[in-house]
């Protein structure tokens, strides 16, 4: 069967790593008809928008997309393409498995999943300058979205044989907004008596992620906290080159790495494509291509275990192309 999938290469290292993911998917024997759509900083220079409607239409039609990172101007300029895509397509669950690969970052052995609310919180974009020198940012929290993401996290825990969902919040300070999210999560937890609900204040959650990450198991949290914890998680498993992600909605899903455009290494062909390849593995599982997903994961683990062809971010000397060729070779050898 041929899958029609939207490919958004993105900015910076995006085209380099997404091309690696395409090659790996082909090596695993999955037939894909890629519909390439451009969004991000480069598109904004050529057109009047960084996110043309054609990108949204393509994801709506195909239901599934693989995406490279898109740059966002800091301080001013256009709104984040990433946040807009998630909001416009209502991709409410940002699922980020943080899992150690044997041979990489031996200090920790991590296996947790962060489920981040993707559509509201401080990322709702409700900011204003009240007076010169006084800015206000509104944190939007609804019972609807809080329950929806909690329910997703509990369903995820059941499906993946997890024991606990940790809800990370700051309801001791933001009593109304985080308080509403906490009450909503407690209500949903009652429907899943087999899964333990742990309530943890966000700063304690950050400390626990470093000292005893696996005790958190599945973390569910609002948008900004989830964003920060994701990069902390990446730090535990070898860096941003390793953590994949999925933005899931009821109608469609976009798979992308946690990392950004890495402007410091873009265009040099040295980025680690592991995070987007692991995102592609999540995408193949979503498409019920489980055998191919397994083949890629097995080969990836073998490549890291052998430690011969690795990228510079973890001390290797291979470039993106050589890393990818070796992975394709291992996939083909293993099939
Ligand atoms: P970043 O994730 O792009 O880079 C942080 C550091 O990690 C850099 O030193 C970079 O070289 C390194 N790094 C990241 N991915 C790597 C990889 N695959 N292999 C090796 N090293 C890697 O974060 P930064 O610099 O804060 O953001 C740059 C741009 O990316 C910004 O415009 C930001 O808005 C955007 N961004 C986009 C995201 C998305 O599209 N989902 C997510 C995060 C940031």
């Amino acid at each position: 069967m041929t899958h029609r999938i939207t490919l958004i290469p993105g900015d910076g290292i995006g085209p380099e790593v997404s091309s690696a993911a395409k090659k790996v998917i082909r090596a695993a024997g999955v037939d894909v008809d890629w519909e390439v759509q451009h969004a991000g900083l480069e598109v904004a220079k050529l057109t009047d928008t960084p996110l043309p409607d054609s990108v949204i239409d393509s994801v709506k039609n195909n239901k599934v997309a693989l995406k490279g990172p898109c740059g966002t101007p800091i301080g001013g300029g256009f709104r984040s393409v990433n946040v807009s895509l998630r909001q416009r397509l209502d991709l409410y669950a940002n699922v980020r498995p943080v899992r150690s690969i044997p041979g990489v970052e031996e200090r920790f052995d991590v296996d947790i999943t962060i489920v981040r609310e993707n559509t509201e919180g401080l990322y709702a974009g409700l900011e204003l300058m009240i007076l010169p020198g006084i800015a206000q940012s509104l944190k939007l929290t609804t019972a609807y979205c809080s329950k929806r993401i909690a329910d997703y996290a509990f369903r995820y825990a059941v499906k993946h044989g997890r024991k606990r969902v940790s809800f990370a919040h700051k309801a001791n300070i933001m009593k109304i907004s985080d308080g509403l999210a906490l009450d909503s999560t407690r209500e949903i937890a009652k429907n899943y008596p087999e899964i333990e609900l742990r309530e943890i204040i966000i700063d304690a959650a950050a400390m626990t992620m470093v000292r005893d990450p696996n005790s958190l198991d599945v973390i569910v949290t609002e948008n900004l906290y989830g964003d920060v914890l994701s990069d902390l998680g990446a730090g535990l498993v070898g860096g941003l080159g390793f953590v994949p992600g999925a933005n899931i909605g009821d109608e469609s899903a976009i798979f992308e790495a946690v990392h950004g455009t890495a402007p410091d290494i873009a265009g040099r062909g040295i980025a680690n494509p592991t995070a987007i390849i692991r995102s592609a593995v999540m995408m193949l599982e979503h498409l019920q291509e489980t055998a191919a997903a397994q083949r890629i994961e097995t080969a990836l683990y073998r490549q890291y275990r052998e430690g011969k062809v690795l990228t510079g971010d973890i001390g290797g000397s291979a470039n993106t192309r050589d890393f990818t060729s070796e992975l394709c070779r291992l996939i083909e050898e293993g099939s």
Side-chain angles (χ1 to χ4, degrees):
M1 170 190 182
T2 302
H3 301 279
R4 189 162 170 80
I5 299 175
T6 303
L7 179 73
I8 306 168
D11 298 311
I13 60 169
E16 301 163 43
V17 293
S18 55
S19 138
K22 267 174 72 178
K23 287 183 193 159
V24 165
I25 290 171
R26 194 179 328 124
V30 180
D31 215 2
V32 177
D33 175 12
W34 296 102
E35 185 178 325
V36 179
Q37 290 287 335
H38 295 286
L41 285 172
E42 295 306 315
V43 178
K45 284 184 201 159
L46 302 172
T47 64
D48 59 348
T49 169
L51 181 57
D53 285 342
S54 59
V55 181
I56 301 283
D57 294 342
S58 170
V59 181
K60 276 188 181 161
N61 285 339
N62 296 329
K63 314 262 184 242
V64 175
L66 185 65
K67 175 181 166 296
C70 294
T72 309
I74 293 176
F78 60 77
R79 269 197 94 199
S80 161
V81 167
N82 312 305
V83 174
S84 300
L85 265 173
R86 294 163 189 170
Q87 289 178 348
R88 286 180 65 183
L89 293 163
D90 201 18
L91 305 175
Y92 59 89
N94 193 335
V95 183
R96 294 169 158 185
V98 180
R99 208 161 293 151
S100 300
I101 296 184
V104 180
E105 188 49 88
E106 299 283 358
R107 283 176 300 168
F108 307 101
D109 181 15
V110 185
D111 182 5
I112 59 175
T113 300
I114 298 171
V115 177
R116 162 187 171 192
E117 204 293 322
N118 228 2
T119 59
E120 55 176 22
L122 281 167
Y123 289 45
L126 302 172
E127 284 196 304
L128 71 152
M129 192 66 77
I130 300 174
L131 291 169
I134 305 178
Q136 185 181 42
S137 191
L138 298 179
K139 171 162 160 158
L140 182 73
T141 307
T142 62
Y144 175 76
C145 287
S146 302
K147 284 183 193 166
R148 182 168 70 161
I149 196 68
D151 194 61
Y152 187 92
F154 278 96
R155 271 188 283 130
Y156 180 95
V158 171
K159 186 171 170 200
H160 293 86
R162 301 294 186 149
K163 303 268 173 293
R164 175 182 288 162
V165 168
S166 298
F167 175 64
H169 65 86
K170 195 77 186 175
N172 51 330
I173 305 295
M174 280 165 274
K175 294 177 192 294
I176 297 177
S177 53
D178 279 22
L180 175 64
L182 177 58
D183 287 343
S184 306
T185 307
R186 284 177 179 159
E187 200 179 315
I188 294 297
K190 288 184 195 144
N191 302 331
Y192 299 89
E194 70 276 36
I195 306 288
E196 181 198 341
L197 169 66
R198 176 176 181 182
E199 299 170 9
I200 184 162
I201 293 175
I202 185 66
D203 30 332
M207 191 271 295
T208 306
M209 262 186 78
V210 176
R211 291 185 67 92
D212 187 14
N214 295 344
S215 70
L216 295 167
D217 211 346
V218 176
I219 301 172
V220 62
T221 192
E222 62 96 84
N223 216 332
L224 173 63
Y225 307 154
D227 197 3
V228 176
L229 290 188
S230 300
D231 276 34
L232 170 51
L236 298 175
V237 296
L240 281 160
F242 289 91
V243 182
N247 302 283
I248 310 270
D250 290 334
E251 303 296 327
S252 44
I254 298 182
F255 296 81
E256 64 176 338
V258 166
H259 66 70
T261 59
D264 51 338
I265 57 166
R268 292 166 57 196
I270 58 168
N272 185 347
T274 301
I276 195 166
I277 289 169
R278 289 176 117 186
S279 310
V281 166
M282 292 175 79
M283 181 180 82
L284 293 177
E285 282 163 356
H286 179 83
L287 292 167
Q288 316 285 334
E289 292 280 2
T290 9
Q294 191 59 57
R295 272 203 296 283
I296 297 173
E297 196 159 83
T298 305
L300 194 63
Y301 276 48
R302 182 170 158 204
Q303 186 162 346
Y304 277 101
R305 207 172 45 245
E306 291 177 354
K308 286 188 258 176
V309 188
L310 303 180
T311 45
D313 55 324
I314 55 151
S317 55
N319 59 26
T320 313
R321 202 189 49 227
D322 293 343
F323 177 95
T324 309
S325 302
E326 173 66 3
L327 181 57
C328 292
R329 190 185 70 75
L330 293 176
I331 293 167
E332 280 153 9
E333 200 177 284
S335 12

